[in-house]
């Protein structure tokens, strides 16, 4: 199953249509939709409430953003390597784990994330990309 098929299956299991994918994508700063990778992410303020961070309609002033919130990710994570500079442009990555509606967030250091991915997938990381 490719990343698009995984995404459609996930949305269907959440009782949401394929149109909801497009709707969710409209609120993201980053939207990648390929058979290899589907990614939806937006800039957020990591000090905001979890409810605000998770709510895709909440927009934060750009100068207050210090994190990427990963709204959705499916497919080959290795292919994120071409976006190392963008990933490291903010100090944090926030993800949500567990059941839908669970507002707990995991906060990852973006530089550490990139170093771990480099160790696993041999991303091209140098001091200019991730410092």
């Amino acid at each position: 199953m490719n990343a698009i098929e995984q995404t459609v299956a996930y949305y269907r299991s959440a009782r949401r249509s394929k149109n909801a994918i497009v709707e969710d994508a409209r609120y993201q700063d980053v939207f990648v939709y390929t058979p290899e990778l589907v990614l939806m992410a937006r800039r957020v303020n990591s000090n905001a409430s979890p409810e605000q961070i998770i709510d895709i309609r909440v927009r934060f002033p750009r100068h207050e953003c210090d994190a990427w919130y990963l709204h959705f990710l499916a497919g080959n994570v290795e292919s994120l390597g071409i976006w190392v500079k963008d990933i490291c442009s903010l100090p944090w990555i926030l993800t949500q784990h567990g059941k839908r509606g669970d507002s707990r967030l995991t906060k990852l250091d973006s530089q550490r994330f990139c170093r771990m991915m480099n160790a696993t997938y041999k991303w091209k990381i140098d001091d200019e990309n991730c410092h």
Side-chain angles (χ1 to χ4, degrees):
M1 191 180 306
N2 70 36
I4 292 173
E5 293 166 337
Q6 289 173 353
T7 303
V8 170
Y10 177 85
Y11 272 73
R12 282 193 180 137
S13 73
R15 293 184 165 80
R16 298 184 72 204
S17 70
K18 286 169 66 171
N19 291 338
I21 298 168
V22 175
E23 179 68 21
D24 286 358
R26 288 185 22 203
Y27 295 100
Q28 306 304 316
D29 294 313
V30 176
F31 178 55
V32 178
Y33 195 72
T34 68
E36 185 175 69
L37 179 73
V38 174
L39 169 66
M40 295 184 212
R42 74 182 215 291
R43 293 173 188 88
V44 299
N45 179 331
S46 67
N47 294 312
S49 72
E51 293 77 21
Q52 288 178 307
I53 291 169
I54 292 166
D55 184 346
I56 61 174
R57 289 173 177 83
V58 173
R59 300 300 297 177
F60 297 92
R62 190 104 177 228
H63 69 276
E64 291 180 10
C65 295
D66 65 345
W68 289 105
Y69 172 64
L70 298 183
H71 176 70
F72 189 85
L73 176 63
N76 182 0
V77 184
E78 181 179 0
S79 62
L80 285 172
I82 62 172
W83 288 294
V84 168
K85 191 171 187 172
D86 297 310
I87 293 168
C88 289
S89 69
L90 297 173
W92 303 105
I93 298 169
L94 301 176
T95 63
Q96 182 182 17
H97 296 285
K99 298 177 183 177
R100 289 180 194 93
D102 181 348
S103 63
R104 289 178 292 173
L105 296 171
T106 299
K107 189 174 187 178
L108 307 167
D109 179 290
S110 62
Q111 292 177 24
R112 185 167 183 250
F113 171 80
C114 287
R115 284 192 299 274
M116 289 185 323
M117 296 304 283
N118 183 47
T120 304
Y121 297 116
K122 306 301 181 223
W123 282 6
K124 294 179 181 151
I125 295 179
D126 56 38
D127 289 337
E128 182 180 315
N129 290 338
C130 205
H131 46 275

